[in-house]
Amino acid sequence: MSIYKTLFLLLLTSILVSACGGGSTGSLSEALLDDDNDTILNSEDNCLAILNTAQLDSNNDGIGDACEISTSNSDNPTSLDELTSVDTDEDTDSDGVPNIYDEFPNDSLKASSITSAHRLLTQATFGATEEEIDRVVKIGTHAWIDEQLEIKSAYDNKDDNHKTHFERIIEVGKAVQPEYDWYRNYGIFNQQGNNAHIHKYRMSVWLENALESPKNDSGSDQLRQRIAYALSQLLVVSDLSGQTKNHAETVAIYNDILAKNAFGNYRDLLGEISRSTAMGMYLSHMGNDKANPEKNTHPDENFARELMQLFTIGLYKINIDGTPILTNEVPTPVYTQNDVVELAKVMTGWDRKGNRPYGGDNSNRGLYSGSMEFHPKHHEDEVAEGGDGNVTVIGKTFSLKSGNDQSAMDSALDVLFDHQNIAPFVSKHLIKQLITSNPNADYVARVSAVFNDNGKGIKGDLKAVVKAILYDPEARDINNRDNANFGKVKEPILAWTQYLRIFGVQPLQNWGPSKVQDVYFFKRPEDRLNQGPLRAGSVFNFYSPDYVPSNAYFSNNKLVTPEAQIISDQFLVSYHNSIRSFVSCCEKQYLTKVKGKNLTEYASKRSLFVSHLMLVDYDRELSIIQQKLDNEFSNIKNVLLKEKAIHALLEHLDKVMLGNTMTEKYQSLLSDYLLNTKGLENNDAFKEAHNIVRESIRFIATSSAYMIQK
């Protein structure tokens, strides 16, 4: 088999993605105790002091790993205080990084390894740039996390120069289509008519935030944007179909809600998304009216059902570690159809501001770029049906007129927020989005405990939850890379943004008739990547969180791999071709030096109807080759110098793309291919060097080593 075919098969190869694991006897009274509330009775619990539902006991000594770790290994803390505390008295090399978080306690120039730094940035950003890798190596993973949690954002001060998603979409729309009357509806920015391309501009702004995050004087808020994206796959709204398709500006505001609350409180977030025009349109409680027996109509149940099933408590009762609570050996339903009917009564009386009549479908009336307003006249009161004006949802009864606005919305959300399921339900989702598809039950329990109490008696503090997720030993222990069941398949959109950030993506400047500057453009990413941000095909997201491939390894080991649901063999081939063809339109050195194009002329002929309007740059990689060729590309015909150049290039790409984890076998195969393949040779030495760079990047970017996050 040729080297090329071997490499291509390696592209289609996958690794993938928990762990599990007690006992003693005593008196009857002792046997009924459960001191740590982990659902394992003291009589069976191998660690009484620390919640450890999985009962791991790696050395089979009868003492659970959780207890051994907490008492004997300070580098693997398990309590919230240990996870977030800093011992400033122990800093051997005086680099400002405590020994407990310093992989190199005797080297003041390094606090983390390249592998650890790259791993963190893959988990918590849209891509690890070389500059950011070097920064994390210097300051340490925990310092970087703390720094990100405190970076100012567009939501701190409305008068500063940080633009929200919605503010920026206005700027982009006016820049690309200056002739369009964006304010013709009551003088308010709303998309009206088919000539506006606002759904394309929303993607442009999302890309800007993901790739630049955004540029501001306080740094790049990558973590906030990454959490907002993770939340968008739990609290799903999409502008791919329905009313939101024609009003992407309201989806831009929805994205702002997610980003603003990414480090806020989950209860506040629930309140905002429930009243948002985007959610009202998407799950049809905008214009939802009270029951009318004469017309045989009843409140729409759509939002009520999804609010419980998908956004807060799920379908079944679960323990704090996310494991199901069984009744007669089957999962126990957490709510009934009657709960849906009752909750649907609450979700009435809301419509977009200024819409007349209530619930009217004239798209030229009402404000799409704002939250909904409450209309008491259309809110369910049960008078027509002889009810008592109260509803009961999962065992809690409250008035339909409760709350400051008498909508009962807050009462309903409080009931769901107070439920035991919400902490593990939300915590596990975020862990799976950021770290691993099959988290250890104890990991989920530790994070859930922080969701329930941030250490100050506050429930739902997402900043504390995110910190607990990223600080946790399961996320930071580099040895987990060797655990076959740890990690996750990268979502296509994340694999793509990581590639773009690594190679210094910038907007193509002065494109189109309006000579647009500083605006990214990527047309319909779902067509190429099987997903686009806030463009899922349904409220159930791009993929199921419980998806199991048709492979015995996953089913036998009870493992899930959600992202694999949208990554077929056919997609991998398509993705491979996309990486290759992207160079032809969007790599600066290829356009200017290989094809001899003038970028100004090239940009003037580009428009909204092409697929990409951005540039990556392989200049750094070409410079590495040039240096190893004694600064003369013409020396590429010298086999020894060429081999030296290829080795240096692959070392660099291993760092920035894989975090120094490339195997010797893969490096050897790739080196042989680059050195010996006639198709890469060219009479023009620069073009041959570019061929080597292009193929190196393409094969790594489409390999299992890159596409699997460990």
Side-chain angles (χ1 to χ4, degrees):
M1 183 180 292
S2 69
I3 294 174
Y4 188 97
K5 288 184 177 178
T6 302
L7 287 167
F8 189 72
L9 286 176
L10 282 173
L11 146 72
L12 299 175
T13 305
S14 299
I15 336 166
L16 236 249
V17 235
S18 176
C20 254
S24 62
T25 59
S27 67
L28 179 60
S29 60
E30 290 174 336
L32 294 176
L33 296 176
D34 178 15
D35 290 344
D36 55 0
N37 296 313
D38 63 355
T39 74
I40 308 296
L41 298 179
N42 287 0
S43 58
E44 299 294 329
D45 199 337
N46 63 19
C47 178
L48 299 179
I50 297 174
L51 184 149
N52 65 327
T53 308
Q55 295 288 287
L56 292 177
D57 183 9
S58 300
N59 57 7
N60 296 312
D61 64 353
I63 301 175
D65 289 357
C67 278
E68 291 188 319
I69 289 173
S70 66
T71 58
S72 64
N73 186 354
S74 62
D75 287 335
N76 290 284
T78 56
S79 72
L80 176 61
D81 289 340
E82 289 177 284
L83 284 169
T84 58
S85 66
V86 172
D87 186 353
T88 55
D89 295 328
E90 292 188 62
D91 181 12
T92 305
D93 54 10
S94 301
D95 62 353
V97 182
N99 288 355
I100 190 174
Y101 300 139
D102 197 336
E103 291 184 64
F104 302 94
N106 298 308
D107 186 345
S108 62
L109 299 179
K110 293 191 294 184
S112 295
S113 67
I114 288 173
T115 301
S116 294
H118 185 275
R119 187 166 182 257
L120 169 66
L121 295 171
T122 302
Q123 294 168 339
T125 75
F126 287 97
T129 66
E130 185 167 26
E131 292 75 17
E132 201 72 354
I133 291 172
D134 292 342
R135 175 167 169 71
V136 177
V137 165
K138 182 178 181 180
I139 70 173
T141 56
H142 292 76
W144 184 90
I145 294 167
D146 293 346
E147 185 179 83
Q148 282 288 306
L149 290 170
E150 299 304 324
I151 281 182
K152 292 181 180 179
S153 73
Y155 310 100
D156 296 319
N157 183 352
K158 66 179 182 179
D159 296 322
D160 65 17
N161 61 356
H162 303 166
K163 301 297 183 183
T164 66
H165 198 88
F166 180 61
E167 289 170 341
R168 181 62 178 142
I169 208 174
I170 294 174
E171 289 184 344
V172 172
K174 291 163 69 175
V176 180
Q177 289 182 279
E179 77 286 354
Y180 193 79
D181 184 5
W182 292 103
Y183 293 88
R184 66 181 182 178
N185 185 20
Y186 308 116
I188 298 172
F189 184 91
N190 274 342
Q191 175 188 350
Q192 298 295 333
N194 296 324
N195 293 324
H197 297 278
I198 198 165
H199 62 284
K200 299 177 182 178
Y201 308 148
R202 190 191 64 74
M203 184 64 202
S204 294
V205 177
W206 186 92
L207 272 175
E208 181 178 298
N209 286 340
L211 300 176
E212 300 180 0
S213 290
K215 292 177 179 176
N216 60 58
D217 53 11
S218 61
S220 174
D221 64 341
Q222 276 283 304
L223 182 56
R224 176 184 293 275
Q225 300 297 330
R226 184 69 181 81
I227 298 303
Y229 179 61
L231 289 169
S232 77
Q233 298 197 68
L234 176 66
L235 308 167
V236 177
V237 157
S238 172
D239 62 14
L240 191 61
S241 61
Q243 290 187 49
T244 49
K245 181 178 181 179
N246 296 320
H247 290 281
E249 71 273 28
T250 195
V251 178
I253 289 180
Y254 187 82
N255 193 77
D256 278 326
I257 292 172
L258 300 178
K260 180 182 70 173
N261 291 283
F263 300 153
N265 193 284
Y266 196 72
R267 173 60 183 83
D268 295 335
L269 177 57
L270 287 176
E272 286 202 52
I273 66 109
S274 297
R275 294 172 170 87
S276 73
T277 303
M279 184 63 78
M281 286 195 291
Y282 192 62
L283 290 184
S284 61
H285 66 293
M286 185 176 77
N288 197 9
D289 214 338
K290 62 184 178 182
N292 187 329
E294 293 181 1
K295 296 182 179 179
N296 196 29
T297 60
H298 301 276
D300 186 293
E301 299 174 0
N302 197 18
F303 179 63
R305 178 177 290 102
E306 309 309 0
L307 178 61
M308 290 191 288
Q309 178 182 340
L310 301 178
F311 303 163
T312 55
I313 59 177
L315 288 170
Y316 304 105
K317 293 181 180 179
I318 52 177
N319 295 300
I320 194 170
D321 63 3
T323 57
I325 295 175
L326 305 180
T327 302
N328 297 324
E329 300 185 354
V330 297
T332 309
V334 69
Y335 65 85
T336 67
Q337 173 58 25
N338 188 63
D339 290 317
V340 176
V341 172
E342 291 282 88
L343 186 57
K345 296 176 183 178
V346 176
M347 307 306 167
T348 54
W350 295 93
D351 200 4
R352 62 183 180 273
K353 292 178 181 177
N355 188 33
R356 299 293 183 270
Y358 176 85
D361 57 4
N362 187 329
S363 61
N364 289 316
R365 294 178 182 172
L367 180 63
Y368 290 88
S369 51
S371 59
M372 295 186 292
E373 62 182 356
F374 181 59
H375 298 258
K377 180 180 178 181
H378 296 276
H379 183 53
E380 182 62 71
D381 55 14
E382 295 189 328
V383 171
E385 296 180 311
D388 61 2
N390 295 324
V391 291
T392 300
V393 178
I394 51 177
K396 304 292 183 180
T397 300
F398 53 90
S399 168
L400 281 163
K401 292 186 178 181
S402 59
N404 292 333
D405 59 6
Q406 295 190 314
S407 73
M409 176 72 82
D410 286 321
S411 297
L413 295 177
D414 286 344
V415 168
L416 298 176
F417 185 68
D418 290 341
H419 196 277
Q420 68 177 45
N421 270 27
I422 196 166
F425 186 82
V426 175
S427 298
K428 189 171 184 178
H429 169 82
L430 291 175
I431 292 171
K432 292 175 71 170
Q433 281 285 309
L434 302 178
I435 311 297
T436 179
S437 292
N438 296 276
N440 181 288
D442 289 341
Y443 184 14
V444 176
R446 289 191 293 269
V447 177
S448 298
V450 175
F451 187 103
N452 281 330
D453 186 346
N454 67 352
K456 300 177 182 179
I458 298 174
K459 182 177 182 178
D461 180 355
L462 289 176
K463 179 183 285 189
V465 169
V466 170
K467 188 171 187 176
I469 290 171
L470 295 175
Y471 263 47
D472 196 272
E474 188 160 343
R476 298 277 56 82
D477 187 356
I478 203 68
N479 293 320
N480 267 335
R481 288 190 52 83
D482 300 324
N483 180 348
N485 297 334
F486 181 88
K488 64 198 297 289
V489 174
K490 284 181 187 173
E491 294 179 53
I493 193 71
L494 294 180
W496 183 246
T497 59
Q498 287 170 16
Y499 162 80
L500 294 176
R501 278 174 56 82
I502 289 168
F503 298 107
V505 67
Q506 294 290 322
L508 179 66
Q509 300 294 1
N510 298 307
W511 56 266
S514 302
K515 298 187 181 301
V516 180
Q517 297 187 23
D518 300 325
V519 173
Y520 291 98
F521 184 72
F522 184 14
K523 182 180 179 182
R524 296 185 61 84
E526 63 276 6
D527 290 348
R528 293 171 177 265
L529 302 175
N530 286 347
Q531 62 174 167
L534 286 93
R535 289 180 71 76
S538 77
V539 72
F540 295 100
N541 198 23
F542 309 110
Y543 44 75
S544 167
D546 302 317
Y547 176 74
V548 180
S550 55
N551 182 297
Y553 179 82
F554 295 96
S555 54
N556 291 343
N557 289 281
K558 298 181 180 180
L559 300 174
V560 301
T561 173
E563 296 83 359
Q565 190 170 3
I566 58 173
I567 302 181
S568 62
D569 290 353
Q570 182 179 359
F571 166 77
L572 286 172
V573 173
S574 175
Y575 181 72
H576 182 274
N577 292 333
S578 293
I579 291 288
R580 183 172 187 171
S581 63
F582 182 74
V583 173
S584 300
C585 76
C586 304
E587 198 281 303
K588 185 177 180 180
Q589 304 304 318
Y590 180 84
L591 290 171
T592 59
K593 295 181 180 179
V594 175
K595 303 303 289 184
K597 293 182 180 293
N598 178 290
L599 283 183
T600 301
E601 293 179 4
Y602 177 76
S604 67
K605 298 176 182 178
R606 310 292 279 178
S607 71
L608 286 169
F609 300 101
V610 300
S611 58
H612 306 89
L613 290 168
M614 61 184 82
L615 290 176
V616 293
D617 194 343
Y618 293 169
D619 180 64
R620 188 182 313 197
E621 290 67 38
L622 287 161
S623 294
I624 289 172
I625 287 186
Q626 185 177 23
Q627 291 169 14
K628 296 302 178 181
L629 293 174
D630 291 341
N631 292 316
E632 292 290 343
F633 281 115
S634 59
N635 288 332
I636 203 165
K637 302 304 179 182
N638 182 313
V639 176
L640 292 178
L641 290 179
K642 183 178 182 180
E643 187 172 7
K644 184 180 176 182
I646 288 172
H647 178 76
L649 173 67
L650 292 183
E651 273 196 338
H652 162 73
L653 293 178
D654 183 19
K655 173 187 176 181
V656 297
M657 298 183 76
L658 304 178
N660 283 358
T661 62
M662 185 183 291
T663 64
E664 290 184 10
K665 179 180 179 181
Y666 192 80
Q667 186 174 27
S668 176
L669 281 167
L670 192 49
S671 295
D672 287 345
Y673 168 72
L674 297 171
L675 190 62
N676 300 314
T677 300
K678 296 296 183 182
L680 300 182
E681 296 178 359
N682 196 291
N683 292 330
D684 184 313
F686 179 85
K687 291 181 179 179
E688 183 168 337
H690 193 279
N691 288 342
I692 290 172
V693 170
R694 183 195 67 221
E695 291 296 274
S696 300
I697 293 170
R698 177 166 68 97
F699 276 117
I700 295 173
T702 54
S703 70
S704 60
Y706 178 84
M707 293 296 291
I708 303 297
Q709 175 185 312
K710 294 293 286 181

